[in-house]
Amino acid sequence: MLELTNISKTYVNGSIVTTALDNVSFKIHQGEFVSIVGPSGSGKSTLMHILGALDIPTSGSYSINGTNTEKMKDDQLAEIRNKEIGFIFQAYNLLPRTSALKNVMLPMAYAGVSKTKREQRAKELLEAVGLGDKLTNTPNQLSGGQKQRVAIARALAMNPTLLLADEPTGNLPTNQSVEIMDIFQQLNNEGHTVVVITHEEAIAARTKRMITLVDGKIISDEDLI
Ligand SMILES: Nc1ncnc2c1ncn2[C@@H]1O[C@H](COP(=O)(O)OP(=O)(O)OP(=O)(O)O)[C@@H](O)[C@H]1O
Ligand SMILES: [Mg+2]
């Protein structure tokens, strides 16, 4: 379970202070399927970075499964990021000159999984996202939707309980967006907690709960049925 309590985040650049998140509190329980929506600049990516322990809040507290992240040491946070959380970014963040297979194997290499096991799991994951015939393609030999599916396979490499996706369909045509959301829905059905950041209503409508941010504040948090 994730719990944010009175989280604020300000960025200071010279004399300019930007309040990206302003006193945000909410909980996300295991197995939820949540969308975070809001206009450009409303703080969505900032929130994702905090949820993923990639960044720390200026004030407030964030706990993961009951432990305050402030009390965690750097190596403990790194382990959580590697094993418990799968990240999917809008810009894919794949290694450009590396095959789909090797991109998916990478997080497992960091975790010390044997090469045979890494390769086998990466293959299975790429097959699961429909890329069994593209294992050796590098990212520039793949379409946008295929790249995003490689990124999803990579995010699943360590079988994380939590998947955080920032605008996962932002660069994709509608048919490919639907495929990506089908994959997230399937993962949520299997018990993964999925948090998707989007500015598209149709994408948010596929989730079960929608949190809306405006100017760094939550203006609504509703269950979608
Ligand atoms: N590293 C930074 N330094 C200074 N200001 C920042 C930084 N990162 C974000 N901001 C500012 O914080 C606010 C929130 O940014 P954020 O990236 O979280 O918005 P967003 O909701 O993800 O927007 P978008 O939909 O355009 O991706 C914006 O005003 C942005 O300019
Ligand atoms: Mg953003």
Side-chain angles (χ1 to χ4, degrees):
M1 204 206 30
L2 312 173
E3 182 167 14
L4 292 95
T5 311
N6 305 122
I7 293 284
S8 293
K9 177 76 183 180
T10 52
Y11 294 107
V12 181
N13 266 342
S15 61
I16 301 166
V17 178
T18 308
T19 302
L21 291 175
D22 187 1
N23 213 22
V24 167
S25 301
F26 63 90
K27 291 179 193 173
I28 295 178
H29 294 97
Q30 175 81 43
E32 280 203 77
F33 190 9
V34 184
S35 52
I36 295 172
V37 304
S40 180
S42 57
K44 305 183 295 297
S45 295
T46 302
L47 182 56
M48 167 170 162
H49 286 118
I50 289 172
L51 284 173
L54 294 167
D55 200 358
I56 50 166
T58 309
S59 62
S61 69
Y62 175 39
S63 46
I64 301 176
N65 297 328
T67 308
N68 191 333
T69 52
E70 236 175 301
K71 301 212 165 70
M72 295 182 196
K73 299 213 162 62
D74 283 351
D75 55 347
Q76 204 180 348
L77 282 170
E79 178 152 325
I80 285 180
R81 280 193 298 267
N82 188 253
K83 298 207 173 134
E84 310 280 345
I85 307 174
F87 295 97
I88 297 146
F89 300 95
Q90 178 173 7
Y92 318 122
N93 292 13
L94 299 172
L95 295 180
R97 278 175 286 278
T98 306
S99 68
L101 188 71
K102 290 214 166 114
N103 265 287
V104 177
M105 285 168 67
L106 200 63
M108 294 181 274
Y110 294 139
V113 178
S114 78
K115 184 156 187 243
T116 328
K117 284 206 181 131
R118 288 196 320 255
E119 204 165 283
Q120 192 193 342
R121 174 142 178 90
K123 252 188 215 165
E124 283 167 9
L125 286 165
L126 285 165
E127 275 159 16
V129 296
L131 293 176
D133 58 341
K134 305 281 183 190
L135 302 179
T136 59
N137 289 48
T138 57
N140 65 359
Q141 297 165 337
L142 295 168
S143 73
Q146 290 168 341
K147 278 187 267 215
Q148 196 55 291
R149 282 184 275 155
V150 175
I152 292 171
R154 181 186 55 184
L156 293 172
M158 298 299 297
N159 197 26
T161 47
L162 171 65
L163 281 166
L164 289 176
D166 194 351
E167 300 274 3
T169 62
N171 290 323
L172 303 179
T174 309
N175 60 327
Q176 293 186 17
S177 298
V178 169
E179 282 174 24
I180 298 296
M181 288 311 287
D182 288 343
I183 295 174
F184 285 142
Q185 185 144 25
Q186 174 68 33
L187 291 167
N188 179 244
N189 291 344
E190 289 167 12
H192 293 274
T193 309
V194 181
V195 180
V196 179
I197 289 172
T198 182
H199 59 262
E200 293 171 76
E201 251 171 64
I203 296 297
R206 299 249 346 229
T207 69
K208 295 180 185 154
R209 173 182 172 194
M210 182 170 77
I211 296 173
T212 307
L213 279 179
V214 172
D215 291 337
K217 292 189 183 74
I218 294 180
I219 60 152
S220 80
D221 183 347
E222 50 183 321
D223 290 329
L224 311 173
I225 314 148

